[in-house]
Amino acid sequence: MNIENLIYQELLEIANQRGIFLDFVDLPNKIDGFWFYIKNKTDAIAINRVLAGNKRNFTLAHELGHSALHKNSNYNVLTNGGKLDEKMEAEADEYARILITKIKKNLRKEVTLNIQK
Ligand SMILES: [Zn+2]
């Protein structure tokens, strides 16, 4: 198993732990994924099923970022005529970078511990 897949497994686990509904669906080429939230009802992420590897990981981490940061914002690209909020997109990107870096660090620690055993 390569590192991209290990990171992917961790991201799936995080989504699962947070009770986020996750699905891989057919989307237009330009759309990598989106987060869909209705207070007390739906916390869901859809990822374009054609994505793979790092691109899929980053997209999933980015949408996890929206879920973690933007629940009080009423931010919904779907009902907003497809318009993106640049500030919130930048925040989700930053969250994704930090989350993936953290996962990599933890994986490295695990590998080191296994070698020492
Ligand atoms: Zn976004």
Side-chain angles (χ1 to χ4, degrees):
M1 204 185 237
N2 63 32
I3 187 81
E4 282 175 10
N5 277 327
L6 289 172
I7 292 167
Y8 179 57
Q9 294 306 320
E10 293 293 318
L11 290 168
L12 291 178
E13 182 64 28
I14 289 166
N16 188 35
Q17 280 169 4
R18 294 181 186 175
I20 297 168
F21 180 77
L22 176 64
D23 205 0
F24 296 83
V25 299
D26 291 315
L27 290 171
N29 282 338
K30 280 180 191 166
I31 302 174
D32 293 334
F34 59 86
W35 170 59
F36 184 70
Y37 181 67
I38 301 169
K39 201 177 179 198
N40 297 327
K41 274 195 179 159
T42 306
D43 191 1
I45 290 171
I47 304 289
N48 194 326
R49 71 162 92 243
V50 301
L51 297 187
N54 280 330
K55 177 100 171 163
R56 181 180 57 187
N57 287 349
F58 189 83
T59 302
L60 178 48
H62 172 101
E63 304 306 341
L64 286 170
H66 281 306
S67 173
L69 301 168
H70 299 142
K71 278 183 180 160
N72 294 319
S73 68
N74 288 323
Y75 183 39
N76 190 332
V77 177
L78 294 180
T79 56
N80 203 22
K83 259 188 237 144
L84 296 174
D85 181 302
E86 278 180 30
K87 183 174 171 280
M88 282 191 263
E89 290 311 315
E91 285 173 356
D93 277 346
E94 193 188 2
Y95 184 97
R97 281 191 290 270
I98 291 168
L99 181 59
I100 288 173
T101 302
K102 210 173 132 187
I103 290 171
K104 277 186 188 162
K105 240 185 237 168
N106 285 337
L107 288 172
R108 220 172 281 144
K109 220 184 280 169
E110 261 175 52
V111 169
T112 309
L113 287 174
N114 282 332
I115 292 168
Q116 285 169 347
K117 265 180 204 164

